[in-house]
Amino acid sequence: MMRLLSNDRPGHWLLALLLVGLLLGLLAAPFLFPGTKALAVAARIAIFIVLAASYDILLGYTGIVSFAQTTFFGLGAYGVAIPLALGASGWAVVAGGAAAGIGASLVLALVMALLSLRVRAIFFSMITLAIARFAQVLAAEWRGLTGGEDGLTFTVPRLISPAFRLFPAPLLGLPISGPVIAYYLILAVSLAAFLLMLRMVNSPFGRVLQAIRENPFRAEALGYRTILHRALASVLAAGFAALAGAMMALQLRYTNPDTTLSFSLMIDILLMVVIGGMGTLYGAALGAALLVLAQYYLEPLLAALARLSGGVPVLPALFDPGRWLLWLGVIFVLVVYFFPAGIAGTLRARGRAA
Amino acid sequence: MRTEELSVRFGAEAAVDRVSCAFYPGTLTAIVGPNGAGKTTFFNLISGQIRASSGEVWFRGKRITGLGVAARTRRGLGRGFQLTNLFPALSVCENTRLAVQAEARRDFRLLSLASDHHDLNARAQAILDHVGLAARARTVASALSHGDQRKLEVALLLALRPEVFMFDEPTAGMSVDEVPVVLDLIAAIKRDRTKTILLVEHKMDVIRALADRVIVLHQGRLLADGAPAEVVALPLVREAYLGQGSGHG
């Protein structure tokens, strides 16, 4: 079990409990919470765990601040979307499209890294910002290929299409439809990708990344050619982000600049990693789950609270569903206040101190 | 290893000014001089942290003046630092393991676990035993006492197995009872008789005990070069350096 987790112990009972809860929740989600919304949210959590974890390799482990993680996410998504929207179909097309998107991401990340990681960190961040913006504009303007702002809608392979049923009768009360199968495929790939990333950050290479984050100057003096490690970290992070993007396209059955390339999405990823705890990977997983859940369920939760507190003065106004973003902000401030190193980071530090 | 007319200018001022000097295996050369004489800058030029304005550094018959820091380390130049320069949030063991791993060139293993490289872990442990930090192996480097941080600095250098050891005031700021520990570690490297050791040091008793040769830098220039006893006796040196007292000038 610990070897599967690359000997990376959570380090605190509560963190272990949260992670087990997250895993069990995702595994059982279609059965526990029927309905298309719950399924979509669970799939989104699985995908964003991969995306946030890939970003944590850069930000948390290596100390690289990039704003172009969505660009690679988008490349993966469009890689799958474009051939399907052009009318091609079948798993070979999906695999080929994903491979093309991931391949393009690897190349772009390598070029970006080698051209700009030598410069000061702040300039690198600015360059990634420009590239992210450029990708967004490109996707919106190149209508012939990307469908512009409207994006691309396409048909996915029959196995994961909405009309498909694996068995004639429901299983444990749940019809095993295409989207349910898609969900479990996404969950399996996400879990495998997460475990692979966990292995990489606990490899000798991963340790060098931490050394670079801690003291790049000394890492260089030990003989590590840090530009190569940082470039490889960028390339790996880009590859996993593109994989997440490909899964996102299959899950949504459409792709547009807003769902894959927007700057607000980049901020979400950043928040997931910071709230979860940078440099732990587990934190990225928790942060992704927390943020996605809040984005989808805070508003209905507030509506319910407002109804419940109907007779009481002030409270209904306070719990007005329209204020959900305000409440999200309050939650963030509280988390950052009580968990200064993020949830996983702070719990780990407490586990070590105990 | 030798330098040839090695210079670096910051603006109009030459911090190191045409220093030509050779260093030999089996010899410990102490570099002395008042503060601001260019000792650390001279080290930085040799190890690559600063690029030379002119002149060359030669090592094992090759010119290394154009190489970066990492490339020089990989060729066998081991540079220690005057100001503590560790991986602060990582454990003592992990700090050492990183240096051992660098020397073993295993930095691009992505799919094995660092904890499974038992030979590296064992070597890191042995080095920590040798420098007397085994009991602190799990402490994060930033939580160590100053003296222990200096020992860890020596541990990192030892882990690199360099041909040339460059110690920049390894005992600076250490308590009196800790100084001999570090000096013993350096003496042990010296006993090997194959390593080139450069030592920037202020304390005269340390120089007398360890140095085979002393060079004096003053205002970026090589002022004197010879056996410790004769260099110390030079009036020029007495005036430039010892006149200010043998402590930290």
Side-chain angles (χ1 to χ4, degrees), chain B residues 61-110:
Chain B
K62 292 216 171 68
R63 206 168 53 181
I64 60 165
T65 325
L67 296 179
V69 174
R72 296 187 198 199
T73 305
R74 292 163 83 87
R75 276 163 205 241
L77 282 179
R79 166 73 198 274
F81 293 88
Q82 179 183 11
L83 301 171
T84 301
N85 190 358
L86 303 162
F87 303 105
L90 305 183
S91 71
V92 168
C93 181
E94 184 57 26
N95 268 271
T96 316
R97 223 195 50 74
L98 277 163
V100 171
Q101 178 183 296
E103 194 272 337
R105 308 275 196 272
R106 296 210 197 141
D107 43 329
F108 283 103
R109 306 284 179 95
L110 268 79

Coordinates of all heavy atoms in Angstrom, one line a residue, chain B residues 61-110:
Chain B
G61 N 44.5 20.4 -16.7 CA 45.0 20.6 -18.1 C 44.0 21.2 -19.0 O 44.2 21.4 -20.2
K62 N 42.7 21.5 -18.5 CA 41.7 22.1 -19.4 C 41.4 23.4 -18.9 O 41.3 23.7 -17.7 CB 40.5 21.2 -19.4 CG 40.7 19.8 -20.1 CD 39.5 19.4 -20.9 CE 39.7 18.2 -21.8 NZ 39.9 17.0 -20.9
R63 N 41.0 24.3 -19.8 CA 40.5 25.6 -19.5 C 39.1 25.5 -19.1 O 38.3 25.0 -19.8 CB 40.7 26.6 -20.7 CG 40.9 28.0 -20.3 CD 41.3 28.8 -21.4 NE 40.3 28.5 -22.5 CZ 40.4 29.1 -23.7 NH1 41.4 29.9 -24.0 NH2 39.6 28.8 -24.7
I64 N 38.7 26.0 -17.9 CA 37.3 25.9 -17.4 C 36.7 27.3 -17.2 O 35.6 27.4 -16.7 CB 37.2 25.1 -16.1 CG1 38.0 25.7 -15.0 CG2 37.7 23.6 -16.3 CD1 37.7 25.2 -13.6
T65 N 37.4 28.3 -17.7 CA 36.9 29.6 -17.4 C 35.5 29.9 -17.9 O 34.8 30.6 -17.3 CB 37.9 30.7 -18.1 OG1 39.2 30.2 -18.0 CG2 37.8 32.0 -17.4
G66 N 35.2 29.2 -19.0 CA 33.8 29.5 -19.6 C 32.7 28.6 -19.1 O 31.6 28.8 -19.4
L67 N 33.1 27.7 -18.2 CA 32.1 26.7 -17.7 C 31.2 27.3 -16.6 O 31.7 28.2 -15.9 CB 32.8 25.5 -17.2 CG 33.5 24.6 -18.2 CD1 34.2 23.4 -17.5 CD2 32.6 24.2 -19.4
G68 N 30.0 26.8 -16.5 CA 29.1 27.2 -15.4 C 29.5 26.5 -14.1 O 30.4 25.6 -14.1
V69 N 28.8 26.9 -13.0 CA 29.1 26.3 -11.7 C 28.9 24.8 -11.7 O 29.8 24.1 -11.2 CB 28.1 27.0 -10.7 CG1 28.3 26.3 -9.3 CG2 28.3 28.5 -10.6
A70 N 27.8 24.3 -12.2 CA 27.5 22.9 -12.1 C 28.6 22.1 -12.9 O 29.0 21.1 -12.4 CB 26.1 22.6 -12.7
A71 N 28.9 22.6 -14.0 CA 29.9 21.9 -14.8 C 31.3 21.8 -14.1 O 32.0 20.8 -14.1 CB 30.1 22.6 -16.2
R72 N 31.6 22.8 -13.4 CA 32.9 22.8 -12.7 C 32.8 21.8 -11.5 O 33.8 21.1 -11.2 CB 33.2 24.2 -12.2 CG 33.5 25.2 -13.3 CD 34.0 26.5 -12.8 NE 33.8 27.5 -13.8 CZ 34.4 28.7 -13.9 NH1 35.3 29.0 -12.9 NH2 34.2 29.6 -14.8
T73 N 31.7 21.8 -10.8 CA 31.5 20.9 -9.7 C 31.7 19.5 -10.2 O 32.3 18.6 -9.6 CB 30.2 21.1 -9.0 OG1 30.0 22.4 -8.6 CG2 30.0 20.2 -7.8
R74 N 31.0 19.2 -11.4 CA 31.0 17.8 -11.9 C 32.4 17.4 -12.3 O 32.7 16.2 -12.4 CB 30.1 17.8 -13.1 CG 28.6 17.9 -12.7 CD 27.7 18.2 -13.8 NE 27.3 17.1 -14.6 CZ 26.3 16.3 -14.3 NH1 25.5 16.7 -13.3 NH2 26.0 15.3 -15.0
R75 N 33.3 18.4 -12.6 CA 34.7 18.1 -12.9 C 35.6 17.9 -11.7 O 36.7 17.5 -11.8 CB 35.3 19.2 -13.8 CG 34.9 18.9 -15.2 CD 35.1 20.2 -16.1 NE 34.2 20.1 -17.2 CZ 34.6 20.0 -18.4 NH1 35.9 20.1 -18.7 NH2 33.7 19.9 -19.4
G76 N 35.0 18.2 -10.5 CA 35.8 17.9 -9.3 C 36.2 19.1 -8.5 O 37.1 19.0 -7.6
L77 N 35.5 20.2 -8.7 CA 35.8 21.4 -7.9 C 34.7 21.4 -6.8 O 33.5 21.5 -7.1 CB 35.7 22.7 -8.7 CG 36.9 23.1 -9.5 CD1 36.6 24.4 -10.3 CD2 38.1 23.2 -8.7
G78 N 35.1 21.3 -5.6 CA 34.1 21.3 -4.5 C 34.2 22.6 -3.7 O 35.2 22.9 -3.1
R79 N 33.1 23.3 -3.8 CA 33.1 24.7 -3.2 C 32.3 24.7 -1.9 O 31.1 24.4 -2.0 CB 32.6 25.7 -4.2 CG 32.2 27.0 -3.7 CD 33.5 27.8 -3.4 NE 33.2 29.0 -2.5 CZ 32.8 30.2 -2.9 NH1 32.6 30.4 -4.2 NH2 32.5 31.1 -2.1
G80 N 32.9 25.1 -0.8 CA 32.2 25.4 0.4 C 31.9 26.9 0.5 O 32.6 27.7 -0.1
F81 N 30.9 27.2 1.3 CA 30.5 28.6 1.4 C 30.7 29.2 2.8 O 30.6 28.5 3.8 CB 29.1 28.8 0.9 CG 28.9 28.4 -0.5 CD1 28.7 27.1 -0.9 CD2 29.0 29.4 -1.5 CE1 28.5 26.8 -2.3 CE2 28.9 29.1 -2.8 CZ 28.7 27.8 -3.2
Q82 N 31.0 30.5 2.8 CA 31.3 31.2 4.0 C 30.0 31.4 4.8 O 29.9 31.1 5.9 CB 32.0 32.5 3.7 CG 32.3 33.4 4.9 CD 32.8 34.7 4.5 OE1 32.8 35.1 3.3 NE2 33.3 35.4 5.5
L83 N 29.0 31.9 4.0 CA 27.7 32.1 4.7 C 26.9 30.8 4.5 O 27.0 30.2 3.4 CB 27.0 33.3 4.0 CG 27.7 34.6 4.1 CD1 27.1 35.7 3.3 CD2 27.8 35.0 5.6
T84 N 26.2 30.4 5.5 CA 25.5 29.1 5.4 C 24.6 29.1 4.2 O 23.8 30.0 4.0 CB 24.8 28.9 6.7 OG1 25.7 28.9 7.8 CG2 24.1 27.6 6.7
N85 N 24.8 28.1 3.4 CA 24.1 28.0 2.1 C 23.6 26.6 1.9 O 24.2 25.8 1.2 CB 25.2 28.4 1.1 CG 24.7 28.6 -0.3 OD1 23.5 28.5 -0.5 ND2 25.5 29.0 -1.2
L86 N 22.6 26.2 2.6 CA 22.1 24.9 2.6 C 20.7 24.8 2.0 O 20.2 25.8 1.5 CB 22.1 24.3 4.1 CG 23.4 24.4 4.8 CD1 23.2 24.3 6.3 CD2 24.3 23.3 4.3
F87 N 20.0 23.7 2.2 CA 18.6 23.6 1.8 C 17.8 23.7 3.0 O 17.6 22.6 3.7 CB 18.4 22.3 1.0 CG 19.2 22.2 -0.2 CD1 20.3 21.3 -0.2 CD2 19.0 22.9 -1.3 CE1 21.1 21.2 -1.3 CE2 19.8 22.9 -2.5 CZ 20.9 22.0 -2.4
P88 N 17.3 24.9 3.4 CA 16.9 25.1 4.8 C 15.7 24.2 5.3 O 15.7 23.8 6.4 CB 16.5 26.6 4.8 CG 16.4 27.0 3.4 CD 17.3 26.1 2.6
A89 N 14.7 24.0 4.4 CA 13.5 23.3 4.8 C 13.7 21.7 4.7 O 12.8 21.0 5.1 CB 12.3 23.7 4.0
L90 N 14.8 21.3 4.2 CA 15.0 19.8 4.1 C 15.9 19.3 5.3 O 16.6 20.1 5.9 CB 15.7 19.5 2.8 CG 15.0 20.1 1.5 CD1 15.8 19.6 0.3 CD2 13.6 19.6 1.4
S91 N 15.7 18.1 5.6 CA 16.4 17.5 6.7 C 17.9 17.4 6.5 O 18.4 17.5 5.3 CB 15.9 16.1 7.0 OG 16.3 15.2 6.0
V92 N 18.7 17.3 7.5 CA 20.1 17.1 7.5 C 20.5 15.9 6.6 O 21.3 16.0 5.7 CB 20.7 16.9 8.9 CG1 22.2 16.5 8.8 CG2 20.5 18.2 9.7
C93 N 19.8 14.9 6.8 CA 20.0 13.7 6.0 C 19.7 13.9 4.5 O 20.5 13.6 3.6 CB 19.1 12.5 6.5 SG 19.3 11.0 5.6
E94 N 18.6 14.6 4.2 CA 18.2 14.9 2.8 C 19.2 15.9 2.2 O 19.6 15.7 1.0 CB 16.8 15.5 2.8 CG 16.3 15.7 1.4 CD 16.3 14.5 0.5 OE1 16.2 13.4 1.0 OE2 16.3 14.7 -0.7
N95 N 19.7 16.8 2.9 CA 20.8 17.7 2.4 C 22.0 16.9 1.9 O 22.5 17.1 0.8 CB 21.2 18.7 3.5 CG 20.5 20.0 3.5 OD1 20.8 21.0 2.9 ND2 19.4 20.1 4.3
T96 N 22.4 16.0 2.8 CA 23.6 15.2 2.5 C 23.3 14.3 1.3 O 24.1 14.1 0.4 CB 24.0 14.4 3.7 OG1 24.0 15.3 4.8 CG2 25.4 13.9 3.5
R97 N 22.1 13.6 1.4 CA 21.7 12.7 0.3 C 21.7 13.4 -1.0 O 22.1 12.8 -2.0 CB 20.3 12.2 0.6 CG 20.1 10.7 0.5 CD 18.6 10.4 0.4 NE 18.0 11.2 -0.5 CZ 18.0 11.1 -1.8 NH1 18.7 10.2 -2.4 NH2 17.4 12.0 -2.6
L98 N 21.3 14.6 -1.1 CA 21.3 15.4 -2.4 C 22.7 15.5 -2.9 O 22.9 15.4 -4.1 CB 20.6 16.7 -2.2 CG 19.1 16.8 -2.2 CD1 18.6 18.0 -1.6 CD2 18.6 16.6 -3.6
A99 N 23.6 15.8 -2.0 CA 25.0 15.9 -2.5 C 25.6 14.6 -3.0 O 26.2 14.5 -4.0 CB 25.9 16.5 -1.4
V100 N 25.2 13.5 -2.2 CA 25.7 12.1 -2.6 C 25.1 11.8 -3.9 O 25.7 11.2 -4.8 CB 25.2 11.1 -1.5 CG1 25.5 9.7 -2.0 CG2 26.0 11.4 -0.2
Q101 N 23.8 12.1 -4.1 CA 23.1 11.8 -5.3 C 23.7 12.5 -6.5 O 23.8 12.0 -7.6 CB 21.6 12.1 -5.1 CG 20.7 11.9 -6.3 CD 19.3 12.3 -6.0 OE1 18.6 11.8 -5.2 NE2 18.8 13.4 -6.7
A102 N 24.1 13.8 -6.2 CA 24.7 14.6 -7.3 C 26.0 13.9 -7.8 O 26.3 13.8 -9.0 CB 24.9 16.0 -6.8
E103 N 26.8 13.5 -6.8 CA 28.0 12.9 -7.1 C 27.8 11.6 -7.9 O 28.6 11.2 -8.8 CB 28.8 12.6 -5.8 CG 30.3 12.3 -6.0 CD 30.5 10.8 -6.2 OE1 29.7 10.0 -5.8 OE2 31.6 10.4 -6.8
A104 N 26.7 10.8 -7.5 CA 26.5 9.6 -8.2 C 25.8 9.8 -9.6 O 25.5 8.8 -10.3 CB 25.6 8.7 -7.3
R105 N 25.5 11.0 -9.9 CA 24.8 11.3 -11.2 C 23.5 10.6 -11.4 O 23.2 10.0 -12.4 CB 25.7 11.0 -12.4 CG 27.1 11.5 -12.3 CD 27.2 13.0 -12.8 NE 28.5 13.4 -13.1 CZ 29.3 13.9 -12.2 NH1 28.9 14.2 -11.0 NH2 30.5 14.3 -12.6
R106 N 22.7 10.5 -10.3 CA 21.4 9.8 -10.5 C 20.3 10.8 -10.5 O 19.2 10.5 -10.1 CB 21.2 8.9 -9.3 CG 22.3 7.8 -9.3 CD 21.8 6.5 -8.8 NE 22.9 5.7 -8.5 CZ 23.0 4.9 -7.4 NH1 22.0 4.8 -6.5 NH2 24.1 4.2 -7.2
D107 N 20.5 12.0 -10.9 CA 19.5 13.1 -10.8 C 18.4 12.9 -11.8 O 17.3 13.5 -11.7 CB 20.1 14.5 -10.9 CG 21.1 14.6 -11.9 OD1 21.8 13.6 -12.2 OD2 21.3 15.7 -12.5
F108 N 18.5 12.1 -12.8 CA 17.4 12.0 -13.8 C 16.7 10.6 -13.7 O 16.1 10.2 -14.6 CB 17.9 12.3 -15.2 CG 18.0 13.7 -15.4 CD1 19.3 14.3 -15.5 CD2 16.9 14.5 -15.6 CE1 19.4 15.7 -15.6 CE2 17.0 15.9 -15.7 CZ 18.3 16.5 -15.7
R109 N 16.8 10.0 -12.5 CA 16.0 8.8 -12.3 C 14.6 9.2 -11.9 O 14.4 9.8 -10.8 CB 16.6 7.9 -11.2 CG 18.0 7.6 -11.4 CD 18.1 6.5 -12.5 NE 19.6 6.2 -12.7 CZ 20.2 5.2 -12.1 NH1 19.6 4.4 -11.2 NH2 21.5 5.0 -12.3
L110 N 13.6 9.0 -12.7 CA 12.2 9.5 -12.4 C 11.3 8.5 -11.8 O 10.3 8.8 -11.1 CB 11.6 10.0 -13.7 CG 11.7 11.5 -14.1 CD1 13.1 11.7 -14.6 CD2 10.7 11.9 -15.0

